[in-house]
Amino acid sequence: MIFSPLPLIGVVAWPLVIIGLILSSIGLSRARRGKATNKGLSIAGVVVSAVGLVICILWLTAFGNAANEVDKEANREVAIHYEVTGDAPNATISYTTYGDGTTSTSEENVTELPWSKDFTTKGLFKGGNLTVMTGGDGGSVTCTVAVDGEDAKTSTANGQFATATCDGFGG
C-alpha cells in the first residue's frame, strides 16, 4: 500500500487556515482602531487565509467525488460471457474469473462445440481469462469474451494442440 500525504495535508490545513483567518482579522481590527501598525500584513493574512480556505473546500470536494467514484466502481457488477466455437473434435478449455478479492479457475475437456459459460463479478479489479487448446486431432477453435454484452476479446487457433487465448480484459 502506498502512503499518500494528501489526506493528512487536508486535516492539518483546515484548522490552520481558520486560525490564520481569525488572527489576521483580529490584527486588521486592531490596526483600524490605531492599536497596531500592521494593517498591510493583516490584510495579506486575511487574503492568504481566505484563498487557503477556498482551496481546502475545493480539495475536499474533489477528494469526496473521487472516493465516491471508486466506491461506485468497486460495487459495480459486470456480466462476463465466455464462448468457444469451432470444428475441433475435442478441446481443453481453461477459464478464470476474478473480482471482489476472489479468483475462480476451472478446466473442462469438451468433445462438442460450441461451449459457453456466464459469470457475474464485481470489485475494483474484475475480469478473467479464457484459454482453449485443440487436441491431437487438430481443428480450429475461437474463444470470445463479452463483458456486459459487448465483445471484449476474440482469438482463433488452428492445428494440433493449437491455443487461443482471450485475456487482458476487465469490466
Side-chain angles (χ1 to χ4, degrees), residues 91-96 104-110 115 131 133:
T92 302
I93 300 170
S94 300
Y95 52 94
T96 301
S104 169
T105 302
S106 296
E107 182 174 290
E108 295 182 26
N109 293 312
V110 296
W115 170 94
T131 302
M133 183 171 71

Side-chain angles (χ1 to χ4, degrees), residues 103-161:
T103 301
S104 169
T105 302
S106 296
E107 182 174 290
E108 295 182 26
N109 293 312
V110 296
T111 56
E112 188 177 325
L113 297 174
W115 170 94
S116 67
K117 288 279 184 184
D118 292 303
F119 299 93
T120 57
T121 188
K122 68 179 183 175
L124 283 178
F125 303 102
K126 50 190 166 275
N129 177 316
L130 173 62
T131 302
V132 58
M133 183 171 71
T134 62
D137 297 331
S140 68
V141 290
T142 299
C143 65
T144 305
V145 176
V147 178
D148 283 341
E150 296 189 25
D151 286 346
K153 288 286 183 171
T154 300
S155 180
T156 300
N158 296 301
Q160 289 183 315
F161 305 109

